[in-house]
Amino acid sequence: KEAICKADPKSIEIIKPVLRGKDIHKYYYEWAGLWLISTFPSLHLDIDKYPAVKNYLSSFGKKLEQSGEKGCRSKNNNKWFETQATIAYYEEFNKDKIIWSDISQYGSFTYDSDQFYISNTAYMLIGKDLFYLLGILNSNLFDFYFDMVASHLSDKAKRYFTIYIEQFPIPIYQKNDTTLELEKLVKDILKIMPTIDNYQTQKNVTSDISDYLNRIDSLVYKLYGL
């Protein structure tokens, strides 16, 4: 990324930080320093306007051709430098969102306000009341439910597909003492959990984290009358 952007600063317009499913954890993520060249067909890019990116992609030669021939990518009508998927929803990546891993042994949802893109091993949710939703999705109650309805793998991990998650009943958001405290706790735990900036400095906060998680669970139980 650095070399490409140094050669042509305009390249930063289509080079985006990306998270994979394994980078995402409960209330935090660990960015691996990976970047995505977002040449999505839906952008209708003129690759000649990004010479450094074009030169870099050209170095892969025939491998990037979308002809279906041996050694090439699957056949479609996209241009040689474009991704195979259209990604018409690319603007959603730039919004505040909840993100989670495709495969995990328990709920591993976190919040992203840094406009990360995600790979096909992760999912995202945009909309309103995200801190409220995040507290519920990371709760023991959600884990209990999800264990009964999700697709399980041999190592006890589960597939966190949308078709399973959307079945979980979420109480309609009402602004009251319970929801306000829940949102505050979620915002607080997001600050103290390891993130892209402070992973090394926040390793020893396990007791504080446990207190937050227990209190969040109590509030979620209260929302469901348990």
Side-chain angles (χ1 to χ4, degrees):
K1 178 252 181 181
E2 287 77 10
I4 294 176
C5 290
K6 184 177 181 180
D8 176 23
K10 186 177 174 62
S11 301
I12 195 63
E13 295 178 4
I14 57 172
I15 299 180
K16 307 295 183 179
V18 63
L19 291 169
R20 303 161 298 177
K22 65 181 181 180
D23 302 326
I24 302 171
H25 311 283
K26 180 175 288 191
Y27 290 118
Y28 76 102
Y29 54 79
E30 297 177 82
W31 183 48
L34 299 178
W35 299 87
L36 171 70
I37 298 178
S38 57
T39 51
F40 307 140
S42 56
L43 288 172
H44 305 292
L45 295 174
D46 178 355
I47 196 62
D48 289 325
K49 292 183 179 180
Y50 305 92
V53 171
K54 181 180 180 180
N55 289 338
Y56 173 74
L57 294 178
S58 296
S59 68
F60 291 92
K62 193 176 179 66
K63 291 180 180 179
L64 289 189
E65 291 182 8
Q66 304 191 51
S67 61
E69 298 178 4
K70 185 177 180 179
C72 302
R73 292 189 286 172
S74 301
K75 186 175 182 178
N76 60 41
N77 294 322
N78 296 339
K79 298 175 182 177
W80 69 270
F81 60 86
E82 293 177 329
T83 61
Q84 292 220 288
T86 301
I87 316 295
Y89 55 88
Y90 64 89
E91 291 182 343
E92 309 299 293
F93 291 120
N94 298 321
K95 299 178 181 179
D96 292 354
K97 54 191 177 290
I98 293 175
I99 55 176
W100 66 93
S101 176
D102 170 27
I103 300 175
S104 181
Q105 291 190 355
Y106 51 83
S108 299
F109 300 82
T110 193
Y111 180 78
D112 169 45
S113 60
D114 293 318
Q115 301 184 357
F116 273 95
Y117 282 45
I118 55 174
S119 71
N120 63 350
T121 56
Y123 299 103
M124 66 180 180
L125 182 155
I126 60 172
K128 59 183 181 178
D129 306 321
L130 292 181
F131 296 112
Y132 169 74
L133 290 171
L134 184 56
I136 293 174
L137 292 173
N138 271 333
S139 69
N140 279 336
L141 180 61
F142 179 82
D143 282 340
F144 173 77
Y145 154 83
F146 202 77
D147 192 55
M148 294 187 292
V149 302
S151 173
H152 288 67
L153 302 177
S154 59
D155 60 353
K156 297 184 180 181
K158 295 177 281 290
R159 302 299 302 271
Y160 279 76
F161 292 144
T162 303
I163 58 172
Y164 302 132
I165 293 176
E166 66 185 6
Q167 295 178 43
F168 187 67
I170 302 289
I172 295 175
Y173 179 83
Q174 297 180 359
K175 191 174 182 179
N176 53 42
D177 291 345
T178 300
T179 55
L180 289 174
E181 184 178 359
L182 175 61
E183 290 174 314
K184 182 182 183 303
L185 288 170
V186 168
K187 291 176 184 178
D188 287 344
I189 198 171
L190 285 167
K191 292 178 182 178
I192 68 170
M193 287 293 279
T195 67
I196 182 176
D197 294 319
N198 61 9
Y199 177 61
Q200 293 299 325
T201 60
Q202 295 292 348
K203 282 185 175 179
N204 300 316
V205 293
T206 53
S207 61
D208 288 343
I209 290 171
S210 180
D211 290 341
Y212 276 105
L213 293 177
N214 290 336
R215 182 56 185 157
I216 288 172
D217 280 337
S218 297
L219 292 170
V220 172
Y221 296 152
K222 187 175 181 179
L223 286 173
Y224 286 84
L226 300 175

